[in-house]
Amino acid sequence: MSQTAEKEANSSAMQVSDEVAIEIRNMNKWYGDFHVLKDINLTVNRGERIVVCGPSGSGKSTLIRCINRLEEHQKGDIIVDGTELSSDLKNIDKIRSEVGMCFQHFNLFPHLTILENCTLAPIWVRKTPKKEAEEIAMHFLEKVKIPEQALKYPGQLSGGQQQRVAIARSLCMKPRIMLFDEPTSALDPEMIAEVLDTMIELAEEGMTMICVTHEMGFARKVANRVIFMDAGQIVEQNEPEEFFNNPKSERTQLFLSQILGH
Amino acid sequence: MSDQSYVRTEMLSEQPAPLGETGVIKWMRENLFSSLGNSILSLLALALVIFIGAELLPWAIQPSWSSGSLRQCIDDPNITGACWGVIRDRFNQLLFGFYPQEEQWRPILAFFMMLTAVAPVLFDKLPRKMVWFSALYPFIGVWLLWGGTIWGPLMVVAGFIIGYFAHKFLTGVVGELAAMIVALLATIIWWLYGAGPVAEMLSAAMPIGIPAIESSKFGGLMLSITIGVSGIALSLPIGIMLALGRQSDMFIIKVLSVGFIEFIRGVPLITLLFVASVLLNFFLPPGTNFDLILRVIIMVTIFAAAYMAEVIRGGLAALPTGQYEAADALGLDYWQSMRLIIMPQALKISIPGIVGTFIGLFKDTTLVSIIGLLDPVGLIGTIQGSGDWNGIVWELNMFIALMFWVFTFSMSRYSMYLENKLKTTH
Ligand SMILES: Nc1ncnc2c1ncn2[C@@H]1O[C@H](COP(=O)(O)OP(=O)(O)O)[C@@H](O)[C@H]1O
Ligand SMILES: [Mg+2]
């Protein structure tokens, strides 16, 4: 019972507004001849937390990379924060500074200290004065609970710490949307929890998030919607309880039985 | 069962380590005599060193420093080997060529100012303000070496200032790209048509200057350093641009870069130098007096830049794509991500190759002797041609080799220092 109570409390804190953050309409993408994303339709409201799952190679990474235009789509529309993604370069840099992204392999800059990793984009993209950028960086490093590592280099940190720095680095840009691409799958089991805790905290603060992850506990706890992809298509989407307890599609059932362990 | 408990009543004092566990003996045992094969190799190497030393030292150690000619060395019964007098006699020439003696303080001053100018680039602990001096040094250095009116270099600097302000004021009015183009055009037009007449006018009104020295007077180590340092300073940025051009998404830029790199790498430097010394005059408008040393510097630079581009491309290829993606995802534009993320890492990986190219460039400057410039190697012929030193070979070559080695070895040491400093993991 206490669990449901806690859930209630959480979801009341995590308000979803009617404002649309991301809208994807009939989006298609090809790699050469290979049709990797087929007719994707997805609307994400501000404050929503969406978990995307599906078998390897189903196009999950490609989908979220299209949202900050690390990949270009060929057909359909993607509208992020009211701006349509087109080949106009000015839009792209603006979108990218509003959309934070965390990668499976962290992709911290190894030649810069943790603090410099966090202040780089605010200083050069947002033109924040260095001192202020450092204060912001320390604030977020405290939030991910590693302020004491600020002067070290990424190579001196554990995987879990590096991923938390990567999250802090994105947050320093004060993004309105966060994308996560399997943030815990390169981590040793004992480090997964510390990263998930950081992400849960972020969700509770109302950040709009799209997470590609197979951490089902995380999905149950924070997601408003779980999306299942297979072969470049959205096969099923539902709110987490329904999705896990009562999957409709056969593919979903098969996939869930595989990852939830027989 | 016996009682196993035990209490130490007396603490032991430290004993010196047994002989053979410390110092020279330990080092030798571990590094020279660790196995039978290693021991044999060590002994053979030792024998070789002793053999060469026994041949060389008696030849080299001779009381011949004050001899005034080779004849004198041969006639002196006390001298049975090297005739070092040539170094003393021609020392000044080996350093400065035919640069007038009373003006030689200028290249010396230019050399020490050059060291000061590169210091903040090489060592990041030095105050950043020194970089201003580094930026101005090229103009000061050129003026000191070639001399003439001070207004010439000042007008060249004025071109940069004009470009800077044109860019600054126009950016707001016509946008970034247009401002850049206008600023560039303004600077070039100033250099072509404005700088010369204005410099002449000013020097007529206010003749401040030092005696002009012609390029044909340049020679010796000073010439090697002039060409080498200019080539090094210019080839790195050009090499970086070429490496980036080769990776570019823009077809034309990519094709031009690849074409340039492959062509320049495909021809021997000496042919480029011949082009510089003979052919280039055919292509230039008649009457232009394009300095030979400047032409040589251009050729040496593009030659080294082509190699540099390939070395840096190797460094770029070694970076994981995640670095590009992370930079893009944070909203950095192309030039920001290149300057702040990609190049620092690619250059760090490429340090050994870059320094290798620098060292090669510096040694290759001796090829200018073939087109008649009197660098130290070119001076060998001149010195041998004089009656006093006709027939001298080894002493000169060894001394020149030593001069070059001092510079190349410092570069190699610096590269090791830098690699060590840039390590960011344990
Ligand atoms: N740059 C690329 N070029 C060609 N094919 C690619 C590229 N990136 C991914 N793919 C292919 O697209 C499909 C979807 O990849 P991805 O989005 O990474 O899947 P997921 O993240 O769901 O595992 C895979 O079959 C993959 O092989
Ligand atoms: Mg993926």
Side-chain angles (χ1 to χ4, degrees), chain A residues 31 34 36 55-62:
Chain A
Y31 282 124
F34 176 50
V36 52
S56 173
S58 56
K60 308 178 297 290
S61 299
T62 311

Side-chain angles (χ1 to χ4, degrees), chain A residues 24 27 37 52 59-71 99 101-102 179-182 210-212 229:
Chain A
I24 302 178
M27 191 265 279
L37 290 178
V52 181
K60 308 178 297 290
S61 299
T62 311
L63 172 62
I64 68 166
R65 289 156 62 88
C66 280
I67 294 172
N68 68 351
R69 215 174 173 72
L70 286 181
E71 303 286 355
V99 179
M101 179 152 189
C102 290
L179 308 174
F180 293 86
D181 192 357
E182 308 207 27
I210 302 185
C211 308
V212 175
M229 285 185 73

Side-chain angles (χ1 to χ4, degrees), chain B residues 376-398:
Chain B
V377 173
L379 282 168
I380 293 180
T382 313
I383 295 172
Q384 286 170 334
S386 69
D388 283 348
W389 300 107
N390 195 344
I392 197 131
V393 180
W394 290 103
E395 296 82 345
L396 274 178
N397 274 301
M398 285 173 85

Side-chain angles (χ1 to χ4, degrees), chain B residues 104-289:
Chain B
Q104 281 174 6
W105 60 271
R106 282 157 48 178
I108 295 173
L109 180 62
F111 179 75
F112 284 105
M113 285 172 90
M114 186 264 287
L115 294 184
T116 318
V118 295
V121 180
L122 297 185
F123 304 101
D124 62 358
K125 293 218 177 57
L126 293 170
R128 289 298 86 194
K129 285 228 169 63
M130 280 174 77
V131 174
W132 279 106
F133 179 71
S134 312
L136 284 177
Y137 176 75
F139 309 101
I140 305 171
V142 165
W143 180 63
L144 275 176
L145 290 178
W146 275 274
T149 164
I150 188 141
W151 299 108
L154 279 183
M155 288 307 110
V156 177
V157 176
F160 285 107
I161 297 174
I162 289 173
Y164 172 78
F165 281 106
H167 178 257
K168 191 169 169 184
F169 290 127
L170 287 176
T171 314
V173 189
V174 293
E176 175 71 30
L177 187 69
M180 194 95 93
I181 293 171
V182 173
L184 202 68
L185 282 179
T187 307
I188 290 174
I189 290 174
W190 165 258
W191 282 341
L192 286 180
Y193 302 107
V198 173
E200 248 163 61
M201 239 166 56
L202 283 168
S203 57
M206 230 190 302
I208 308 175
I210 47 180
I213 310 285
E214 283 170 39
S215 284
S216 58
K217 298 270 194 289
F218 281 47
L221 188 65
M222 172 198 136
L223 178 62
S224 308
I225 294 178
T226 305
I227 298 174
V229 170
S230 317
I232 285 173
L234 293 170
S235 65
L236 185 61
I238 297 176
I240 291 175
M241 296 317 288
L242 284 171
L244 290 178
R246 196 171 185 153
Q247 280 208 327
S248 171
D249 295 333
M250 284 181 262
F251 182 74
I252 299 292
I253 291 186
K254 184 176 180 138
V255 167
L256 285 177
S257 309
V258 173
F260 181 88
I261 293 170
E262 295 302 336
F263 175 72
I264 299 294
R265 282 206 312 163
V267 296
L269 175 58
I270 193 70
T271 58
L272 291 179
L273 292 177
F274 273 119
V275 168
S277 83
V278 207
L279 278 177
L280 219 54
N281 272 350
F282 286 123
F283 298 122
L284 293 169
T288 29
N289 181 16

Side-chain angles (χ1 to χ4, degrees), chain B residues 121-123 347-348 351 355 412-423:
Chain B
V121 180
L122 297 185
F123 304 101
L347 290 179
K348 176 179 150 190
I351 289 171
V355 176
S412 146
R413 283 280 125 178
Y414 176 73
S415 131
M416 286 168 74
Y417 154 82
L418 196 60
E419 276 177 66
N420 239 331
K421 196 189 76 170
L422 293 180
K423 272 198 193 121

